[in-house]
């Protein structure tokens, strides 16, 4: 992943899952016959083995739909802000265009960095703190937000 140190991985469980899917299960994505999904003529569905291994109703149903949505959206937003802060991105516009056209950010966000402006910086920072308290440091907002 290009990390300076493997211990710096903000999502070690996710990285381990992807590595296991690719290396152990030969699930390298749709192009390679499937990843998280099984594909057929009628559409796609979650790969059943994934559900068997990882779905835990006692914990998975206790997370609110809003928390799930925010967790899925806020992580790439935070990483985009870090890229801006570290100079990987030269401008917010580069980050927005790259996130929309390059990595599939939802179009309604205007790009991951624009999302912060639309959501509101103070509100975004407060929500990041809530998520960090509930789900870990990977949701802690970086200083680039207060720019």
């Amino acid at each position: 992943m290009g990390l300076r140190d493997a211990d710096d991985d903000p999502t070690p469980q996710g990285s381990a899952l992807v590595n296991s899917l690719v290396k152990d299960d030969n699930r390298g994505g749709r192009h390679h016959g499937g990843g998280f999904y099984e594909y057929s003529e009628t559409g796609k569905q979650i790969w059943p083995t994934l559900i068997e291994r990882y779905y835990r109703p006692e914990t998975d149903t206790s997370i609110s739909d809003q928390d799930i949505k925010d967790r899925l959206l806020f992580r790439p937003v935070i990483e985009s802000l870090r890229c801006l802060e570290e100079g990987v991105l030269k401008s917010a516009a580069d980050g927005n265009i790259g996130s929309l056209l390059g990595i599939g950010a939802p179009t309604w966000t205007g790009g991951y960095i624009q999302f912060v402006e639309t959501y509101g910086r103070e509100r975004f920072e407060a929500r990041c703190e809530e998520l960090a308290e509930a789900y870990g440091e990977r949701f802690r907002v970086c200083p680039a937000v207060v720019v």
Side-chain angles (χ1 to χ4, degrees), residues 24-52:
D24 302 335
D25 300 312
N26 297 317
R27 308 279 306 171
R30 184 175 190 170
H31 180 76
H32 300 285
F36 292 109
Y37 298 100
E38 286 285 316
Y39 298 92
S40 68
E41 297 78 35
T42 58
K44 66 181 181 180
Q45 66 179 25
I46 296 285
W47 181 45
T49 305
L50 200 62
I51 295 170
E52 292 169 18

Side-chain angles (χ1 to χ4, degrees), residues 5 45 62 83 135:
D5 182 345
Q45 66 179 25
S62 66
C83 287
Y135 303 108

Side-chain angles (χ1 to χ4, degrees), residues 113-124:
I113 296 171
Q114 177 59 42
F115 171 76
V116 177
E117 298 299 324
T118 305
Y119 194 83
R121 287 181 187 210
E122 288 180 13
R123 184 174 164 223
F124 179 78

Side-chain angles (χ1 to χ4, degrees), residues 27-133:
R27 308 279 306 171
R30 184 175 190 170
H31 180 76
H32 300 285
F36 292 109
Y37 298 100
E38 286 285 316
Y39 298 92
S40 68
E41 297 78 35
T42 58
K44 66 181 181 180
Q45 66 179 25
I46 296 285
W47 181 45
T49 305
L50 200 62
I51 295 170
E52 292 169 18
R53 286 184 189 164
Y54 298 104
Y55 179 64
R56 302 289 178 264
E58 63 279 2
T59 56
D60 294 347
T61 57
S62 66
I63 300 172
S64 74
D65 288 350
Q66 191 59 55
D67 278 7
I68 292 169
K69 291 175 187 177
D70 287 350
R71 289 172 67 185
L72 288 169
L73 179 60
F74 279 51
R75 280 295 304 137
V77 171
I78 292 167
E79 289 303 315
S80 296
L81 292 168
R82 284 197 176 113
C83 287
L84 185 62
E85 181 179 57
E86 294 175 3
V88 174
L89 293 170
K90 299 300 180 199
S91 69
D94 288 348
N96 289 325
I97 291 168
S99 63
L100 289 167
L101 301 178
I103 57 176
T107 55
W108 61 266
T109 63
Y112 285 142
I113 296 171
Q114 177 59 42
F115 171 76
V116 177
E117 298 299 324
T118 305
Y119 194 83
R121 287 181 187 210
E122 288 180 13
R123 184 174 164 223
F124 179 78
E125 188 172 357
R127 183 62 174 142
C128 284
E129 290 302 314
E130 290 173 9
L131 292 171
E133 291 302 316

